[in-house]
Amino acid sequence: KWPNDVLVDGRKLAGILIESRLGAENRVVVIGIGLNVGMTSFPAGLRQPATSLRLAAPRPPARAALASALLDSLHRTARLAFHGWEELRARFHQRDAFRGVRLRAESAGGACEGTGAGIDGEGCFRITRADGRTETLRDAHSLTPLASR
């Protein structure tokens, strides 16, 4: 797993969680999407600033149209993933909010600080440490931007 937030102007609009079981005979993928649609305020103490479609879009779409567009996008993305990871990876790279950003990454193995270095060929998050080493984090579950020092 790696962080999977959808950001608008540095604020979290949505989160996506993908779980999979990829066996020789069966491939199962479950996708969960949480999307802030109509919220105008958020609880104090959130780890990360949030936004909603109502706040971020000049004219938010109707929920039915939004659901239809989301399903169409998921279908197109799944086709890309099955026919070639490189194009999907390139699209992700263009939208990677953490590439080149100083951050703290937390994973099952502990926490580390460095600069976001994108994802590798298997979709794992990479971080470049202060000493110049680039590490691959296969199970990063939290990325927190650090203030410039």
Side-chain angles (χ1 to χ4, degrees):
K1 296 180 187 178
W2 39 269
N4 43 37
D5 297 337
V6 176
L7 305 177
V8 172
D9 296 328
R11 297 181 170 278
K12 184 173 179 175
L13 175 67
I16 303 169
L17 181 62
I18 301 172
E19 294 287 337
S20 63
R21 300 284 185 261
L22 304 176
E25 295 181 27
N26 291 328
R27 292 182 180 197
V28 177
V29 177
V30 177
I31 302 170
I33 300 173
L35 176 62
N36 298 327
V37 176
M39 298 176 74
T40 56
S41 64
F42 299 89
L46 291 177
R47 279 190 342 187
Q48 165 178 16
T51 192
S52 68
L53 283 176
R54 176 180 266 177
L55 295 173
R59 294 182 59 180
R63 288 178 190 250
L66 177 63
S68 177
L70 182 59
L71 289 172
D72 286 345
S73 179
L74 284 171
H75 181 74
R76 285 190 310 274
T77 302
R79 283 198 342 250
L80 276 177
F82 285 118
H83 296 293
W85 161 242
E86 283 307 315
E87 183 177 344
L88 187 58
R89 181 176 172 221
R91 288 180 182 198
F92 178 84
H93 185 74
Q94 292 172 340
R95 293 168 178 85
D96 184 353
F98 293 111
R99 186 172 32 96
V101 173
R102 283 192 23 79
L103 51 87
R104 175 182 174 87
E106 296 179 33
S107 66
C112 65
E113 292 183 5
T115 302
I119 57 173
D120 70 7
E122 295 178 8
C124 297
F125 187 75
R126 297 179 308 150
I127 187 169
T128 301
R129 307 291 280 288
D131 63 7
R133 289 180 301 126
T134 299
E135 280 184 52
T136 298
L137 304 177
R138 299 193 178 286
D139 62 353
H141 57 79
S142 176
L143 298 179
T144 306
L146 298 173
S148 297
R149 296 182 190 185

